[in-house]
């Protein structure tokens, strides 16, 4: 049996993966390989390098509360903190500001601060040095194909998978233009299978497709179209999974990293809820494997 863990993208929501890892570790569920998209690649890379989920929580808290992290620019995307009567106007101004920035620039947020954070986390460590097999997923804008990054510096694998299109700078690599793997693999289940897993656990941050709050502008309509496409594609990706863990973290804005404790708790809650079924399936898998071995 080779158990693979697919950690989905979702910006700050991905902090819930830490809680999921804590529960799997406490339950002594062996993880043989990890593949992550975006924030899932960051969390997965750190854990693969040093499989200690409690230490992972400590590192996350130190990074998020640092002055360096606060200067990255996530606050640009947070919901305006203004009195309710003026909220629609504030939303309108912010939406159009972001739209204009994206229209005239390839990205909104400069990548130097984010790169500095990644360098602090991973340094010169190589994927070949991880204690658990690790890979990340990015998308090549030139070919339209997924790129499973399974060798080289971890920092390159994580940067490529975390380059949110239009938000952070894309990554060039030998003629390729790599961006966030969440375009096609919000949860990188196919990559985990390709890497050799025959039992897949997915930590998915996909939320239900609720009705949109507003469709007043073309920008909002395009965002909604993108949301629908990703939702349906993600559902297809999750068909090839043995167990799905779904932390309920969507009350937190995707750019708000201050809710670390809340997200970790939700990750733990979801993993604990799924644990009996996980143990049942793993036990059944083991019995079937033994039966097949003796039958042959």
């Amino acid at each position: 049996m080779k158990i693979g863990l697919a950690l989905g993208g979702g910006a700050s929501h991905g902090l819930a993966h830490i809680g999921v890892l804590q529960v799997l570790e406490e339950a002594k569920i062996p993880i043989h390989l990890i593949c992550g998209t975006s924030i899932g690649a960051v969390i997965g890379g750190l854990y693969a390098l040093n499989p200690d989920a409690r230490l992972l929580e400590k590192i996350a808290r130190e990074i998020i509360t640092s002055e360096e992290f606060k200067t990255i620019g996530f606050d640009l995307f947070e919901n305006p903190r203004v009195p309710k009567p003026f909220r629609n106007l504030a939303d309108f101004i912010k939406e159009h500001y972001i739209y204009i920035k994206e229209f005239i620039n390839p990205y909104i947020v400069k990548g130097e601060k984010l790169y500095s954070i990644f360098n602090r986390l991973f340094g010169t460590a190589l994927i070949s040095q991880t204690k658990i097999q690790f890979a990340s997923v990015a998308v090549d804008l030139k070919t339209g194909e997924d790129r499973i990054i399974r060798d080289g510096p971890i920092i390159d694998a994580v940067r490529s998978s975390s380059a949110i299109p239009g938000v952070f700078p894309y990554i060039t690599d030998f003629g390729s233009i790599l961006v966030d793997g969440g375009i096609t693999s919000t949860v990188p289940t196919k990559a985990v299978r390709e890497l050799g897993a025959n039992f897949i656990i997915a930590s998915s941050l996909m939320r239900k497709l609720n009705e949109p709050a507003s469709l007043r502008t073309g920008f909002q309509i395009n965002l909604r179209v993108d949301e629908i496409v990703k939702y349906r594609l993600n559902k297809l990706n999750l068909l090839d999974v043995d167990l799905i863990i779904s932390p309920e973290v969507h009350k937190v804005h995707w750019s708000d990293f201050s809710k670390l404790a809340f997200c970790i708790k939700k990750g733990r809650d979801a993993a604990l809820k799924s644990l009996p079924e996980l143990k049942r399936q793993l036990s059944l898998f083991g019995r079937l494997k033994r039966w097949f071995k003796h039958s042959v």
Side-chain angles (χ1 to χ4, degrees):
M1 183 186 298
K2 193 172 185 181
I3 301 175
L5 179 62
L7 299 179
S12 67
H13 297 166
L15 298 172
H17 295 323
I18 299 174
V20 171
L21 285 165
Q22 287 178 353
V23 171
L24 295 178
E25 190 177 293
E26 291 162 7
K28 302 189 185 308
I29 304 296
I31 302 298
H32 302 103
L33 64 91
I34 297 175
C35 189
T37 292
S38 198
I39 184 69
V42 180
I43 300 296
L46 282 170
Y47 189 76
L49 197 58
N50 189 352
D52 184 337
R54 290 293 173 183
L55 177 61
L56 182 57
E57 178 180 351
K58 180 182 177 183
I59 293 171
R61 181 169 289 106
E62 289 175 352
I63 291 294
I64 291 170
T65 56
S66 69
E67 290 301 317
E68 188 177 22
F69 187 85
K70 295 173 185 176
T71 63
I72 290 177
F74 284 113
D75 56 331
L76 174 64
F77 304 96
E78 291 182 19
N79 292 324
R81 296 173 182 175
V82 297
K84 195 170 183 179
F86 303 101
R87 198 164 296 160
N88 287 340
L89 176 60
D91 283 337
F92 178 85
I93 293 171
K94 175 167 280 195
E95 174 187 306
H96 282 72
Y97 170 75
I98 292 172
Y99 179 78
I100 292 170
K101 290 269 288 185
E102 286 186 330
F103 187 77
I104 62 177
N105 297 299
Y107 52 87
I108 297 173
V109 180
K110 293 182 179 180
E112 290 86 351
K113 297 293 184 181
L114 188 61
Y115 177 80
S116 178
I117 293 291
F118 287 158
N119 189 53
R120 181 173 162 185
L121 290 172
F122 300 106
T124 59
L126 302 174
I127 292 177
S128 60
Q129 295 173 321
T130 59
K131 296 174 183 176
I132 298 174
Q133 184 182 349
F134 170 72
S136 73
V137 175
V139 172
D140 187 342
L141 290 183
K142 284 192 173 182
T143 65
E145 298 294 325
D146 288 352
R147 170 80 71 84
I148 302 176
I149 306 172
R150 63 187 84 183
D151 53 31
I154 299 177
I155 189 172
D156 290 348
V158 169
R159 286 179 67 213
S160 300
S161 187
S162 304
I164 303 172
V167 177
F168 293 114
Y170 54 75
I171 307 300
T172 56
D173 178 58
F174 299 104
S176 299
I177 297 178
L178 302 179
V179 296
D180 193 318
I183 296 175
T184 55
S185 299
T186 302
V187 186
T189 56
K190 291 182 179 179
V192 172
R193 186 73 72 186
E194 187 174 326
L195 289 170
N198 49 23
F199 190 96
I200 298 178
I201 303 169
S203 182
S204 172
L205 305 169
M206 181 178 71
R207 63 179 175 180
K208 294 179 181 178
L209 195 63
N210 299 319
E211 289 191 15
S214 176
L215 293 174
R216 299 189 316 273
T217 68
F219 183 68
Q220 290 172 335
I221 291 171
N222 275 292
L223 287 177
R224 178 60 173 178
V225 168
D226 183 61
E227 185 180 23
I228 292 170
V229 171
K230 284 186 177 180
Y231 177 80
R232 295 178 66 172
L233 185 58
N234 199 38
K235 284 188 71 175
L236 289 174
N237 288 337
L238 289 173
L239 292 176
D240 191 31
V241 168
D242 296 283
L243 185 86
I244 303 172
I245 300 174
S246 302
E248 295 291 334
V249 290
H250 299 103
K251 290 183 179 180
V252 177
H253 192 274
W254 68 267
S255 65
D256 182 4
F257 283 82
S258 67
K259 304 297 190 299
L260 174 65
F262 174 84
C263 290
I264 289 177
K265 182 181 183 304
K266 290 298 181 180
R268 289 187 61 87
D269 290 346
L272 287 168
K273 183 178 178 180
S274 302
L275 197 55
E277 174 62 16
L278 173 58
K279 289 182 175 180
R280 187 191 71 79
Q281 287 199 43
L282 289 176
S283 176
L284 178 61
F285 190 101
R287 290 200 300 271
L288 287 173
K289 188 175 180 180
R290 287 192 294 272
W291 174 84
F292 182 78
K293 180 179 179 181
H294 290 307
S295 297
V296 173

